[in-house]
Amino acid sequence: MGTKVGFSPTAILCLLLLFCLGCKCLASEFEGTQTATVRVDASPGLARKIPDTLFGVFFEEINHAGAGGIWAELVSNRGFEAGGPNTPSNIHPWSIIGDDSSIVVATDRSSCFRRNIIALRMEVLCNDCRAGGVGIYNPGFWGMNIEDGKTYNLVMYVKSPETAYLTVSLTSSDGSQNLASVNITVAGTSNWTKLVQKLVANGTNRTSRLQITTNKKGVIWFDQVSLMPADTYKGHGFRTDLTSMLLDLKPRFLRFPGGCFVEGEWLRNAFRWRESIGPWEERPGHFGDVWHYWTDDGLGYYEYLQLSEDLSAAPVWVFNNGISHHDEVDTSIIAPFVKDVLDSLEFAKGSSNSTWGSVRAAMGHPEPFPLKYVANGNEDCGKKHYRGNYLKFYNAIREAYPDIQMISNCDGSSRPLDHPADLFDFHVYTDSKTLFSMRNTFDRTPREGPKTIKLWFLTVNIFVNMIRAQAFVSEYAVWQSDAGKGSLLASLAEAAFLTGLERNSDIVQMASYAPLFVNNNDRKWNPDAIVFNSWQHYGTPSYWMQTLFRESSGATVHPLTINSRYSGSLAASAITWQDSGNISFLRVKIVNFGSHAVRVRISTTGLEASVNELGSTVTVLTSGNVMDENSFSHPKKVVPVKRQLPDAAENMQVQLAPHSLTCFDLTLTQSKLVILTEKGDEYLRSGI
Ligand code: AHR
């Protein structure tokens, strides 16, 4: 009788359990640290110079980026025009001090400025009014940042038939804390008088207001009341803290002033450069109906050009081409708009003797601005009159300014444009996976140029259906749920996308993130690169990610290959660049978009220089949670962390953190490092 070997149901269950556990262990082994090899081929023959213009910034008047943002003016609605030209009008955010039985304020059309005719008439009914007097106050843009010891320049226009006694003060938002105060006597006259006064703060308050009070009966008119901090960047009116954030990006261009802001929902509300230049008091201001707020246009066309100069960035002027979101000018009657744009170019580039160049000179800039790029509208390619209008602008500008590079709104990334252009706009807002995968988009862009036909007597370039334009990725960002108000996840997908732009920088000439700024009190668009309020600011991870690409413009890009089972989650690029002290670096940036650590070996071939351990660094942008964001309370939660790389060598093994951007900067000892010139010619630099 043989022995029967049998398994009880309990034993079978146990065995199954053990089997499952074993599988799980194996699986987690597989899912654990991944490996990859990144091979950089630095052979001179494969190296290519990246355009000097590759990475810049796009400044749009959105989210109060300008008014109540980088433009340091503290008074909102300084000319009382925001309520419109009809009187009486709303004077928001101005308000009264004292009860309304003692004071009556109303707008009328008595200004001394023709283009902004509205002024404020204040009638004081009390004599020896109660302590503190009655009057008006302006809270600025969600409160004025007044800092102890700092000077504020007040300018205002007043008119009073009888002598008036005013007190101008900076106070806390409820008026209880006095930060600065000055008494002003206004001589009685029927003419307008310009008053200029310095106020020095004796305390700090981040949400202050400007008060103008009196305690004597009478009638006084006010107009164009301005309060500017004395210390603005280079004295040009830009908030220093926000400007330094831009300088840290080393932007090679500044695209301005929009975006949809340029178009308007309706043409009557579009940005008009002509209305934004000249003495600030005379600018009418306008209501930007796309982002729904009034701008006094203190930050006007001239100031945008000035900001470009201050940032050493090439200006990119996006002009309105007779098209808004809801109305369009027919091509047959577009001529005045073309003339208007030609005038704007003369204003920027003309000699100081020219009609418009002289206006620029009178504003303080006799030298022309080096305006070389203009964009013909914004996101208008599909509009009925776009192509017709485009050609009218294109031909007129080409003839008058052959050096100007023109940007079309039509996408030429997958097929050549059907009209002449130097660059085409490419905008992308999407989820993180899609943007990560778009790192290869420009690999597929046609490279061929215009067809050239040689006849025996002349050479003709055929421009029909075969225009080679360079790409200007003028707006890119991850948005919606993957981005929140600016997540690490978004910045990683964007970094991967940018490595693709570096690789394809033979066809991609320029790129900028969007939007650049948000005032935390008026978030019209999420996410943004730089968040601020009246006195604080921080960069989102997308801002910090861009700082790791700031050396790429004008550098040399090298091909690389990634070998890994995990390569679908990796993106990388390699450049060589020189710092201001002429020290050369090989920079390898690797995005690990996946949730596993990666042990990566970086190797180089063809490098005609040796890697020096001294000075080599590794910088990592990561965080505990891929959805982590920065905030006013934790402004540096997700920022790049740099450390020395102790064992730099040509064959390096390093660990990439999950969800990270890692930037290796390997110092090169230049025995014979090939640098590419603008034209792609090589020259050799000798050792350091
Ligand atoms: O960047 C925000 C907006 O996105 C821009 O105004 C517009 O060009 C795009 O649709």
Side-chain angles (χ1 to χ4, degrees), residues 428-441 477-479 481-483 487 489-494 496-497 568-569 571 593-595 626 659:
V428 55
Y429 297 98
T430 186
D431 61 89
S432 61
K433 278 205 180 99
T434 307
L435 195 66
F436 182 80
S437 71
M438 284 179 69
R439 66 197 185 283
N440 301 322
T441 294
V478 170
W479 70 346
S481 59
D482 281 356
S487 65
L489 178 65
S491 71
L492 296 179
E494 289 152 7
F497 180 62
S569 295
F593 196 59
S595 51
V626 76
H659 298 303

PDB file of all heavy atoms in Angstrom, residues 428-441 477-479 481-483 487 489-494 496-497 568-569 571 593-595 626 659:
ATOM      1  N   VAL A 428       2.471  76.138 -26.089  1.00  0.00           N
ATOM      2  CA  VAL A 428       1.969  74.869 -25.559  1.00  0.00           C
ATOM      3  C   VAL A 428       1.706  74.969 -24.057  1.00  0.00           C
ATOM      4  O   VAL A 428       2.578  75.353 -23.282  1.00  0.00           O
ATOM      5  CB  VAL A 428       2.917  73.682 -25.890  1.00  0.00           C
ATOM      6  CG1 VAL A 428       4.340  73.911 -25.430  1.00  0.00           C
ATOM      7  CG2 VAL A 428       2.408  72.376 -25.267  1.00  0.00           C
ATOM      8  N   TYR A 429       0.468  74.668 -23.680  1.00  0.00           N
ATOM      9  CA  TYR A 429       0.068  74.512 -22.275  1.00  0.00           C
ATOM     10  C   TYR A 429      -0.581  73.143 -22.196  1.00  0.00           C
ATOM     11  O   TYR A 429      -1.578  72.900 -22.891  1.00  0.00           O
ATOM     12  CB  TYR A 429      -0.944  75.591 -21.867  1.00  0.00           C
ATOM     13  CG  TYR A 429      -0.405  76.991 -21.949  1.00  0.00           C
ATOM     14  CD1 TYR A 429      -0.656  77.785 -23.059  1.00  0.00           C
ATOM     15  CD2 TYR A 429       0.349  77.527 -20.908  1.00  0.00           C
ATOM     16  CE1 TYR A 429      -0.163  79.072 -23.136  1.00  0.00           C
ATOM     17  CE2 TYR A 429       0.845  78.821 -20.980  1.00  0.00           C
ATOM     18  CZ  TYR A 429       0.591  79.584 -22.097  1.00  0.00           C
ATOM     19  OH  TYR A 429       1.084  80.871 -22.169  1.00  0.00           O
ATOM     20  N   THR A 430      -0.034  72.257 -21.419  1.00  0.00           N
ATOM     21  CA  THR A 430      -0.563  70.903 -21.416  1.00  0.00           C
ATOM     22  C   THR A 430      -0.250  70.217 -20.092  1.00  0.00           C
ATOM     23  O   THR A 430       0.300  70.827 -19.177  1.00  0.00           O
ATOM     24  CB  THR A 430      -0.002  70.129 -22.644  1.00  0.00           C
ATOM     25  OG1 THR A 430      -0.635  68.858 -22.711  1.00  0.00           O
ATOM     26  CG2 THR A 430       1.496  69.939 -22.568  1.00  0.00           C
ATOM     27  N   ASP A 431      -0.578  68.915 -19.996  1.00  0.00           N
ATOM     28  CA  ASP A 431      -0.270  68.169 -18.770  1.00  0.00           C
ATOM     29  C   ASP A 431       1.185  67.724 -18.802  1.00  0.00           C
ATOM     30  O   ASP A 431       1.854  67.798 -19.835  1.00  0.00           O
ATOM     31  CB  ASP A 431      -1.219  66.973 -18.630  1.00  0.00           C
ATOM     32  CG  ASP A 431      -1.075  66.030 -19.792  1.00  0.00           C
ATOM     33  OD1 ASP A 431      -0.233  65.116 -19.730  1.00  0.00           O
ATOM     34  OD2 ASP A 431      -1.757  66.228 -20.829  1.00  0.00           O
ATOM     35  N   SER A 432       1.664  67.242 -17.674  1.00  0.00           N
ATOM     36  CA  SER A 432       3.107  66.979 -17.564  1.00  0.00           C
ATOM     37  C   SER A 432       3.563  65.827 -18.466  1.00  0.00           C
ATOM     38  O   SER A 432       4.620  65.910 -19.087  1.00  0.00           O
ATOM     39  CB  SER A 432       3.490  66.710 -16.104  1.00  0.00           C
ATOM     40  OG  SER A 432       2.804  65.588 -15.626  1.00  0.00           O
ATOM     41  N   LYS A 433       2.744  64.769 -18.555  1.00  0.00           N
ATOM     42  CA  LYS A 433       3.175  63.626 -19.399  1.00  0.00           C
ATOM     43  C   LYS A 433       3.300  64.059 -20.850  1.00  0.00           C
ATOM     44  O   LYS A 433       4.251  63.698 -21.543  1.00  0.00           O
ATOM     45  CB  LYS A 433       2.138  62.497 -19.292  1.00  0.00           C
ATOM     46  CG  LYS A 433       2.327  61.631 -18.066  1.00  0.00           C
ATOM     47  CD  LYS A 433       1.748  60.240 -18.287  1.00  0.00           C
ATOM     48  CE  LYS A 433       1.960  59.413 -17.046  1.00  0.00           C
ATOM     49  NZ  LYS A 433       0.770  59.343 -16.182  1.00  0.00           N
ATOM     50  N   THR A 434       2.320  64.839 -21.297  1.00  0.00           N
ATOM     51  CA  THR A 434       2.361  65.260 -22.705  1.00  0.00           C
ATOM     52  C   THR A 434       3.578  66.146 -22.956  1.00  0.00           C
ATOM     53  O   THR A 434       4.301  65.961 -23.939  1.00  0.00           O
ATOM     54  CB  THR A 434       1.060  66.010 -23.074  1.00  0.00           C
ATOM     55  OG1 THR A 434      -0.038  65.184 -22.716  1.00  0.00           O
ATOM     56  CG2 THR A 434       1.010  66.341 -24.539  1.00  0.00           C
ATOM     57  N   LEU A 435       3.836  67.092 -22.059  1.00  0.00           N
ATOM     58  CA  LEU A 435       4.978  67.980 -22.307  1.00  0.00           C
ATOM     59  C   LEU A 435       6.289  67.197 -22.238  1.00  0.00           C
ATOM     60  O   LEU A 435       7.206  67.434 -23.030  1.00  0.00           O
ATOM     61  CB  LEU A 435       5.006  69.163 -21.327  1.00  0.00           C
ATOM     62  CG  LEU A 435       5.952  70.276 -21.794  1.00  0.00           C
ATOM     63  CD1 LEU A 435       5.459  70.926 -23.092  1.00  0.00           C
ATOM     64  CD2 LEU A 435       6.128  71.351 -20.745  1.00  0.00           C
ATOM     65  N   PHE A 436       6.353  66.234 -21.303  1.00  0.00           N
ATOM     66  CA  PHE A 436       7.560  65.407 -21.229  1.00  0.00           C
ATOM     67  C   PHE A 436       7.774  64.702 -22.576  1.00  0.00           C
ATOM     68  O   PHE A 436       8.889  64.679 -23.107  1.00  0.00           O
ATOM     69  CB  PHE A 436       7.425  64.389 -20.090  1.00  0.00           C
ATOM     70  CG  PHE A 436       8.640  63.530 -19.921  1.00  0.00           C
ATOM     71  CD1 PHE A 436       9.757  64.009 -19.247  1.00  0.00           C
ATOM     72  CD2 PHE A 436       8.688  62.251 -20.455  1.00  0.00           C
ATOM     73  CE1 PHE A 436      10.901  63.225 -19.114  1.00  0.00           C
ATOM     74  CE2 PHE A 436       9.829  61.455 -20.321  1.00  0.00           C
ATOM     75  CZ  PHE A 436      10.929  61.949 -19.643  1.00  0.00           C
ATOM     76  N   SER A 437       6.692  64.168 -23.126  1.00  0.00           N
ATOM     77  CA  SER A 437       6.839  63.444 -24.396  1.00  0.00           C
ATOM     78  C   SER A 437       7.143  64.404 -25.550  1.00  0.00           C
ATOM     79  O   SER A 437       7.699  63.998 -26.566  1.00  0.00           O
ATOM     80  CB  SER A 437       5.587  62.624 -24.694  1.00  0.00           C
ATOM     81  OG  SER A 437       4.540  63.502 -25.036  1.00  0.00           O
ATOM     82  N   MET A 438       6.812  65.669 -25.370  1.00  0.00           N
ATOM     83  CA  MET A 438       7.067  66.641 -26.446  1.00  0.00           C
ATOM     84  C   MET A 438       8.537  67.054 -26.538  1.00  0.00           C
ATOM     85  O   MET A 438       8.887  67.909 -27.357  1.00  0.00           O
ATOM     86  CB  MET A 438       6.183  67.874 -26.256  1.00  0.00           C
ATOM     87  CG  MET A 438       4.743  67.611 -26.670  1.00  0.00           C
ATOM     88  SD  MET A 438       3.684  69.044 -26.415  1.00  0.00           S
ATOM     89  CE  MET A 438       4.310  70.162 -27.651  1.00  0.00           C
ATOM     90  N   ARG A 439       9.386  66.431 -25.736  1.00  0.00           N
ATOM     91  CA  ARG A 439      10.821  66.735 -25.870  1.00  0.00           C
ATOM     92  C   ARG A 439      11.334  66.335 -27.252  1.00  0.00           C
ATOM     93  O   ARG A 439      12.400  66.765 -27.671  1.00  0.00           O
ATOM     94  CB  ARG A 439      11.619  66.039 -24.760  1.00  0.00           C
ATOM     95  CG  ARG A 439      11.631  64.533 -24.813  1.00  0.00           C
ATOM     96  CD  ARG A 439      12.079  63.974 -23.471  1.00  0.00           C
ATOM     97  NE  ARG A 439      12.232  62.519 -23.452  1.00  0.00           N
ATOM     98  CZ  ARG A 439      11.230  61.646 -23.389  1.00  0.00           C
ATOM     99  NH1 ARG A 439       9.978  62.069 -23.378  1.00  0.00           N
ATOM    100  NH2 ARG A 439      11.459  60.340 -23.365  1.00  0.00           N
ATOM    101  N   ASN A 440      10.554  65.497 -27.948  1.00  0.00           N
ATOM    102  CA  ASN A 440      10.988  65.076 -29.292  1.00  0.00           C
ATOM    103  C   ASN A 440      10.256  65.795 -30.420  1.00  0.00           C
ATOM    104  O   ASN A 440      10.498  65.506 -31.588  1.00  0.00           O
ATOM    105  CB  ASN A 440      10.773  63.563 -29.443  1.00  0.00           C
ATOM    106  CG  ASN A 440      11.553  62.791 -28.394  1.00  0.00           C
ATOM    107  OD1 ASN A 440      12.679  63.169 -28.067  1.00  0.00           O
ATOM    108  ND2 ASN A 440      10.962  61.748 -27.838  1.00  0.00           N
ATOM    109  N   THR A 441       9.367  66.710 -30.072  1.00  0.00           N
ATOM    110  CA  THR A 441       8.526  67.351 -31.104  1.00  0.00           C
ATOM    111  C   THR A 441       9.346  67.947 -32.241  1.00  0.00           C
ATOM    112  O   THR A 441       9.050  67.722 -33.415  1.00  0.00           O
ATOM    113  CB  THR A 441       7.659  68.461 -30.461  1.00  0.00           C
ATOM    114  OG1 THR A 441       6.750  67.821 -29.581  1.00  0.00           O
ATOM    115  CG2 THR A 441       6.900  69.264 -31.501  1.00  0.00           C
ATOM    116  N   ALA A 477       4.294  75.783 -20.854  1.00  0.00           N
ATOM    117  CA  ALA A 477       4.132  75.494 -19.418  1.00  0.00           C
ATOM    118  C   ALA A 477       3.256  74.261 -19.246  1.00  0.00           C
ATOM    119  O   ALA A 477       2.406  73.965 -20.093  1.00  0.00           O
ATOM    120  CB  ALA A 477       3.486  76.664 -18.678  1.00  0.00           C
ATOM    121  N   VAL A 478       3.487  73.559 -18.151  1.00  0.00           N
ATOM    122  CA  VAL A 478       2.525  72.552 -17.701  1.00  0.00           C
ATOM    123  C   VAL A 478       1.476  73.313 -16.907  1.00  0.00           C
ATOM    124  O   VAL A 478       1.808  74.229 -16.153  1.00  0.00           O
ATOM    125  CB  VAL A 478       3.213  71.504 -16.808  1.00  0.00           C
ATOM    126  CG1 VAL A 478       2.188  70.597 -16.132  1.00  0.00           C
ATOM    127  CG2 VAL A 478       4.194  70.686 -17.632  1.00  0.00           C
ATOM    128  N   TRP A 479       0.212  72.978 -17.081  1.00  0.00           N
ATOM    129  CA  TRP A 479      -0.834  73.687 -16.318  1.00  0.00           C
ATOM    130  C   TRP A 479      -1.850  72.712 -15.761  1.00  0.00           C
ATOM    131  O   TRP A 479      -1.663  71.495 -15.856  1.00  0.00           O
ATOM    132  CB  TRP A 479      -1.466  74.789 -17.167  1.00  0.00           C
ATOM    133  CG  TRP A 479      -2.335  74.332 -18.313  1.00  0.00           C
ATOM    134  CD1 TRP A 479      -2.409  73.074 -18.838  1.00  0.00           C
ATOM    135  CD2 TRP A 479      -3.253  75.138 -19.053  1.00  0.00           C
ATOM    136  NE1 TRP A 479      -3.293  73.044 -19.858  1.00  0.00           N
ATOM    137  CE2 TRP A 479      -3.851  74.291 -20.023  1.00  0.00           C
ATOM    138  CE3 TRP A 479      -3.642  76.459 -19.016  1.00  0.00           C
ATOM    139  CZ2 TRP A 479      -4.803  74.752 -20.937  1.00  0.00           C
ATOM    140  CZ3 TRP A 479      -4.591  76.907 -19.919  1.00  0.00           C
ATOM    141  CH2 TRP A 479      -5.154  76.065 -20.865  1.00  0.00           C
ATOM    142  N   SER A 481      -4.165  70.431 -13.320  1.00  0.00           N
ATOM    143  CA  SER A 481      -3.971  69.683 -12.068  1.00  0.00           C
ATOM    144  C   SER A 481      -2.519  69.245 -11.841  1.00  0.00           C
ATOM    145  O   SER A 481      -2.080  69.125 -10.707  1.00  0.00           O
ATOM    146  CB  SER A 481      -4.910  68.480 -12.020  1.00  0.00           C
ATOM    147  OG  SER A 481      -4.655  67.660 -13.125  1.00  0.00           O
ATOM    148  N   ASP A 482      -1.760  69.020 -12.898  1.00  0.00           N
ATOM    149  CA  ASP A 482      -0.355  68.616 -12.703  1.00  0.00           C
ATOM    150  C   ASP A 482       0.498  69.765 -12.174  1.00  0.00           C
ATOM    151  O   ASP A 482       1.605  69.548 -11.672  1.00  0.00           O
ATOM    152  CB  ASP A 482       0.272  68.151 -14.030  1.00  0.00           C
ATOM    153  CG  ASP A 482      -0.150  66.738 -14.378  1.00  0.00           C
ATOM    154  OD1 ASP A 482      -0.857  66.115 -13.556  1.00  0.00           O
ATOM    155  OD2 ASP A 482       0.220  66.268 -15.470  1.00  0.00           O
ATOM    156  N   ALA A 483      -0.006  70.973 -12.342  1.00  0.00           N
ATOM    157  CA  ALA A 483       0.825  72.131 -12.001  1.00  0.00           C
ATOM    158  C   ALA A 483       0.384  72.831 -10.729  1.00  0.00           C
ATOM    159  O   ALA A 483       1.212  73.409 -10.026  1.00  0.00           O
ATOM    160  CB  ALA A 483       0.824  73.132 -13.155  1.00  0.00           C
ATOM    161  N   SER A 487       4.151  73.305  -9.450  1.00  0.00           N
ATOM    162  CA  SER A 487       4.656  72.101  -8.776  1.00  0.00           C
ATOM    163  C   SER A 487       6.021  71.678  -9.310  1.00  0.00           C
ATOM    164  O   SER A 487       6.429  72.082 -10.404  1.00  0.00           O
ATOM    165  CB  SER A 487       3.680  70.947  -8.989  1.00  0.00           C
ATOM    166  OG  SER A 487       3.642  70.622 -10.371  1.00  0.00           O
ATOM    167  N   LEU A 489       6.537  68.672 -10.267  1.00  0.00           N
ATOM    168  CA  LEU A 489       6.187  67.840 -11.424  1.00  0.00           C
ATOM    169  C   LEU A 489       6.177  68.671 -12.707  1.00  0.00           C
ATOM    170  O   LEU A 489       6.758  68.271 -13.724  1.00  0.00           O
ATOM    171  CB  LEU A 489       4.803  67.204 -11.189  1.00  0.00           C
ATOM    172  CG  LEU A 489       4.272  66.334 -12.335  1.00  0.00           C
ATOM    173  CD1 LEU A 489       5.151  65.110 -12.541  1.00  0.00           C
ATOM    174  CD2 LEU A 489       2.826  65.901 -12.074  1.00  0.00           C
ATOM    175  N   ALA A 490       5.523  69.829 -12.643  1.00  0.00           N
ATOM    176  CA  ALA A 490       5.447  70.693 -13.829  1.00  0.00           C
ATOM    177  C   ALA A 490       6.852  71.079 -14.283  1.00  0.00           C
ATOM    178  O   ALA A 490       7.182  71.003 -15.469  1.00  0.00           O
ATOM    179  CB  ALA A 490       4.633  71.946 -13.510  1.00  0.00           C
ATOM    180  N   SER A 491       7.687  71.463 -13.338  1.00  0.00           N
ATOM    181  CA  SER A 491       9.025  71.950 -13.710  1.00  0.00           C
ATOM    182  C   SER A 491       9.859  70.839 -14.355  1.00  0.00           C
ATOM    183  O   SER A 491      10.690  71.109 -15.221  1.00  0.00           O
ATOM    184  CB  SER A 491       9.740  72.525 -12.490  1.00  0.00           C
ATOM    185  OG  SER A 491      10.115  71.510 -11.599  1.00  0.00           O
ATOM    186  N   LEU A 492       9.642  69.592 -13.944  1.00  0.00           N
ATOM    187  CA  LEU A 492      10.436  68.489 -14.513  1.00  0.00           C
ATOM    188  C   LEU A 492      10.037  68.221 -15.961  1.00  0.00           C
ATOM    189  O   LEU A 492      10.902  68.005 -16.825  1.00  0.00           O
ATOM    190  CB  LEU A 492      10.266  67.222 -13.670  1.00  0.00           C
ATOM    191  CG  LEU A 492      10.786  67.340 -12.236  1.00  0.00           C
ATOM    192  CD1 LEU A 492      10.556  66.045 -11.471  1.00  0.00           C
ATOM    193  CD2 LEU A 492      12.263  67.725 -12.214  1.00  0.00           C
ATOM    194  N   ALA A 493       8.722  68.235 -16.207  1.00  0.00           N
ATOM    195  CA  ALA A 493       8.274  68.028 -17.593  1.00  0.00           C
ATOM    196  C   ALA A 493       8.791  69.168 -18.470  1.00  0.00           C
ATOM    197  O   ALA A 493       9.224  68.950 -19.606  1.00  0.00           O
ATOM    198  CB  ALA A 493       6.757  67.961 -17.636  1.00  0.00           C
ATOM    199  N   GLU A 494       8.765  70.385 -17.922  1.00  0.00           N
ATOM    200  CA  GLU A 494       9.246  71.543 -18.687  1.00  0.00           C
ATOM    201  C   GLU A 494      10.748  71.420 -18.947  1.00  0.00           C
ATOM    202  O   GLU A 494      11.225  71.731 -20.045  1.00  0.00           O
ATOM    203  CB  GLU A 494       8.941  72.831 -17.921  1.00  0.00           C
ATOM    204  CG  GLU A 494       7.458  73.166 -17.913  1.00  0.00           C
ATOM    205  CD  GLU A 494       6.984  73.973 -16.708  1.00  0.00           C
ATOM    206  OE1 GLU A 494       7.835  74.401 -15.907  1.00  0.00           O
ATOM    207  OE2 GLU A 494       5.772  74.132 -16.545  1.00  0.00           O
ATOM    208  N   ALA A 496      12.436  68.680 -19.251  1.00  0.00           N
ATOM    209  CA  ALA A 496      12.624  67.669 -20.305  1.00  0.00           C
ATOM    210  C   ALA A 496      12.348  68.295 -21.670  1.00  0.00           C
ATOM    211  O   ALA A 496      13.107  68.101 -22.632  1.00  0.00           O
ATOM    212  CB  ALA A 496      11.686  66.490 -20.056  1.00  0.00           C
ATOM    213  N   PHE A 497      11.269  69.077 -21.743  1.00  0.00           N
ATOM    214  CA  PHE A 497      10.915  69.756 -22.991  1.00  0.00           C
ATOM    215  C   PHE A 497      12.067  70.665 -23.444  1.00  0.00           C
ATOM    216  O   PHE A 497      12.451  70.678 -24.614  1.00  0.00           O
ATOM    217  CB  PHE A 497       9.627  70.548 -22.754  1.00  0.00           C
ATOM    218  CG  PHE A 497       9.134  71.309 -23.945  1.00  0.00           C
ATOM    219  CD1 PHE A 497       8.763  70.658 -25.114  1.00  0.00           C
ATOM    220  CD2 PHE A 497       9.024  72.700 -23.901  1.00  0.00           C
ATOM    221  CE1 PHE A 497       8.290  71.369 -26.210  1.00  0.00           C
ATOM    222  CE2 PHE A 497       8.556  73.424 -24.991  1.00  0.00           C
ATOM    223  CZ  PHE A 497       8.196  72.753 -26.148  1.00  0.00           C
ATOM    224  N   GLY A 568      12.434  55.718 -20.994  1.00  0.00           N
ATOM    225  CA  GLY A 568      11.169  56.426 -21.222  1.00  0.00           C
ATOM    226  C   GLY A 568      10.870  57.453 -20.149  1.00  0.00           C
ATOM    227  O   GLY A 568      10.009  58.314 -20.328  1.00  0.00           O
ATOM    228  N   SER A 569      11.584  57.356 -19.008  1.00  0.00           N
ATOM    229  CA  SER A 569      11.356  58.339 -17.939  1.00  0.00           C
ATOM    230  C   SER A 569      12.506  59.320 -17.822  1.00  0.00           C
ATOM    231  O   SER A 569      12.557  60.108 -16.878  1.00  0.00           O
ATOM    232  CB  SER A 569      11.199  57.622 -16.594  1.00  0.00           C
ATOM    233  OG  SER A 569      10.046  56.839 -16.604  1.00  0.00           O
ATOM    234  N   ALA A 571      15.279  62.210 -19.590  1.00  0.00           N
ATOM    235  CA  ALA A 571      15.569  63.166 -20.674  1.00  0.00           C
ATOM    236  C   ALA A 571      16.878  63.837 -20.308  1.00  0.00           C
ATOM    237  O   ALA A 571      17.145  64.062 -19.120  1.00  0.00           O
ATOM    238  CB  ALA A 571      14.470  64.211 -20.783  1.00  0.00           C
ATOM    239  N   PHE A 593      12.067  61.671 -14.642  1.00  0.00           N
ATOM    240  CA  PHE A 593      10.636  61.975 -14.546  1.00  0.00           C
ATOM    241  C   PHE A 593       9.887  60.870 -13.792  1.00  0.00           C
ATOM    242  O   PHE A 593       8.716  61.010 -13.461  1.00  0.00           O
ATOM    243  CB  PHE A 593      10.084  62.132 -15.969  1.00  0.00           C
ATOM    244  CG  PHE A 593       8.751  62.795 -16.049  1.00  0.00           C
ATOM    245  CD1 PHE A 593       8.555  64.073 -15.548  1.00  0.00           C
ATOM    246  CD2 PHE A 593       7.672  62.151 -16.654  1.00  0.00           C
ATOM    247  CE1 PHE A 593       7.311  64.696 -15.628  1.00  0.00           C
ATOM    248  CE2 PHE A 593       6.429  62.767 -16.741  1.00  0.00           C
ATOM    249  CZ  PHE A 593       6.253  64.042 -16.222  1.00  0.00           C
ATOM    250  N   GLY A 594      10.591  59.751 -13.551  1.00  0.00           N
ATOM    251  CA  GLY A 594       9.945  58.606 -12.910  1.00  0.00           C
ATOM    252  C   GLY A 594      10.092  58.629 -11.399  1.00  0.00           C
ATOM    253  O   GLY A 594      10.791  59.468 -10.823  1.00  0.00           O
ATOM    254  N   SER A 595       9.450  57.646 -10.757  1.00  0.00           N
ATOM    255  CA  SER A 595       9.428  57.628  -9.293  1.00  0.00           C
ATOM    256  C   SER A 595      10.510  56.737  -8.694  1.00  0.00           C
ATOM    257  O   SER A 595      10.476  56.422  -7.509  1.00  0.00           O
ATOM    258  CB  SER A 595       8.047  57.186  -8.815  1.00  0.00           C
ATOM    259  OG  SER A 595       7.705  55.998  -9.476  1.00  0.00           O
ATOM    260  N   VAL A 626       6.279  65.023  -5.362  1.00  0.00           N
ATOM    261  CA  VAL A 626       6.373  65.602  -6.707  1.00  0.00           C
ATOM    262  C   VAL A 626       5.401  66.772  -6.903  1.00  0.00           C
ATOM    263  O   VAL A 626       5.576  67.602  -7.784  1.00  0.00           O
ATOM    264  CB  VAL A 626       6.181  64.487  -7.764  1.00  0.00           C
ATOM    265  CG1 VAL A 626       4.707  64.075  -7.882  1.00  0.00           C
ATOM    266  CG2 VAL A 626       6.758  64.890  -9.091  1.00  0.00           C
ATOM    267  N   HIS A 659      12.055  61.698  -9.435  1.00  0.00           N
ATOM    268  CA  HIS A 659      11.456  63.007  -9.739  1.00  0.00           C
ATOM    269  C   HIS A 659      12.461  64.142  -9.492  1.00  0.00           C
ATOM    270  O   HIS A 659      12.347  64.913  -8.539  1.00  0.00           O
ATOM    271  CB  HIS A 659      10.213  63.251  -8.878  1.00  0.00           C
ATOM    272  CG  HIS A 659       9.126  62.262  -9.113  1.00  0.00           C
ATOM    273  ND1 HIS A 659       8.574  62.047 -10.343  1.00  0.00           N
ATOM    274  CD2 HIS A 659       8.502  61.408  -8.266  1.00  0.00           C
ATOM    275  CE1 HIS A 659       7.649  61.116 -10.253  1.00  0.00           C
ATOM    276  NE2 HIS A 659       7.586  60.694  -9.015  1.00  0.00           N
TER     277      HIS A 659
END
